[in-house]
Amino acid sequence: MAEPQKDPVTIKKYANRRLYNTATSSYVTLDYLSRMVKEGTDFVVYDAKSGDDITRSVLTQIIVEEENKGGQNLLPISFLRQLIGFYGDSLGGILPRYLEQSMQSFTRNGENMRDIMKNTFGGMFPMEQFEELNKQNMTLFENALKMFGRFYGEEASRNQSGDGSGPDTAIEDLKAKLDAMQSQLDSFLKK
C-alpha cells in the first residue's frame, strides 16, 4: 500500500527577505531549504504580501548560492549559456519536460553508479558498467535530439530565414556539442 503524500510545507517570504517556515513557526535560511530539498521534503514558497508562488525563484536562489560556495560547480558555463538561449525560443516550451526526464534518468543511473562503486574492490574500475550507463544516457539524449529535429524542421518550414541559422545548423551544432560531451566522458572514464 502506497504511503499517502504529505502536503508540502509552506514557507513565506517577507519583504525583508526573511523566510518563515509555517510548519515549525520559525525563520529559516536558504541553507535550511537546501537541506529540506536534499532530504526529500517538499515545500512551496509564497510571497507573504502578494500571496504569489515564488518557489521557482527561491529554488533558483539556492542553486546560485550552491554554485557560489565554490568547490563543486554542477552547471558548466556552456550549459548556462545554452539554457539562457532557450528563453523565448520555440523549443523553450519543450525544454522543461526534457530536462525533468533527463534528471530523473540521471538520478536512476546515479543510484546504479553508487551501487557499482560500493561493490568495487581492490582498486578495480568497472568500466563495462559505466560504459553501459553512458550508452543509456546517450540513447536518451539522441532520442531527444531526434524529437527536437522533427519539431525544429516543422518550425523552420514555416520560418525560412535563409541566414544559415536554420534547423540544420542548430541540429549540427547540437550534434557537435554531443560529440564533445561524449569525448569528455570517454576521457574521464579512461582515467
Side-chain angles (χ1 to χ4, degrees), residues 90-153:
S90 60
L91 291 178
I94 298 171
L95 187 63
R97 184 69 183 137
Y98 168 74
L99 290 175
E100 186 175 29
Q101 288 177 344
S102 295
M103 285 303 292
Q104 288 170 353
S105 175
F106 184 81
T107 300
R108 282 191 305 271
N109 288 337
E111 291 166 4
N112 290 339
M113 278 195 249
R114 283 185 201 93
D115 291 342
I116 290 167
M117 295 306 280
K118 285 179 187 176
N119 295 327
T120 302
F121 60 93
M124 294 176 60
F125 196 71
M127 290 299 292
E128 302 83 31
Q129 293 158 327
F130 279 105
E131 288 173 1
E132 182 58 34
L133 289 173
N134 181 37
K135 287 177 187 174
Q136 290 173 8
N137 282 335
M138 292 304 295
T139 301
L140 175 72
F141 193 70
E142 287 170 358
N143 288 339
L145 279 178
K146 289 175 187 173
M147 179 186 73
F148 286 154
R150 284 193 296 267
F151 178 77
Y152 232 9

Side-chain angles (χ1 to χ4, degrees), residues 63-64 67 72-80 83:
I63 292 169
V64 170
E67 287 286 312
Q72 183 182 27
N73 297 101
L74 296 180
L75 302 173
I77 291 173
S78 60
F79 173 80
L80 294 171
L83 189 60

Side-chain angles (χ1 to χ4, degrees), residues 35-46:
R35 283 192 305 275
M36 286 178 71
V37 169
K38 291 173 184 177
E39 292 168 357
T41 304
D42 194 17
F43 62 85
V44 291
V45 183
Y46 295 105

Side-chain angles (χ1 to χ4, degrees), residues 6-51:
K6 297 178 184 177
D7 288 334
V9 174
T10 299
I11 308 291
K12 291 185 179 180
K13 185 172 184 178
Y14 289 92
N16 62 4
R17 295 180 167 174
R18 294 194 69 187
L19 299 162
Y20 185 77
N21 183 335
T22 61
T24 61
S25 299
S26 61
Y27 287 99
V28 296
T29 63
L30 289 176
D31 283 337
Y32 178 86
L33 295 181
S34 178
R35 283 192 305 275
M36 286 178 71
V37 169
K38 291 173 184 177
E39 292 168 357
T41 304
D42 194 17
F43 62 85
V44 291
V45 183
Y46 295 105
D47 182 279
K49 185 176 182 179
S50 68

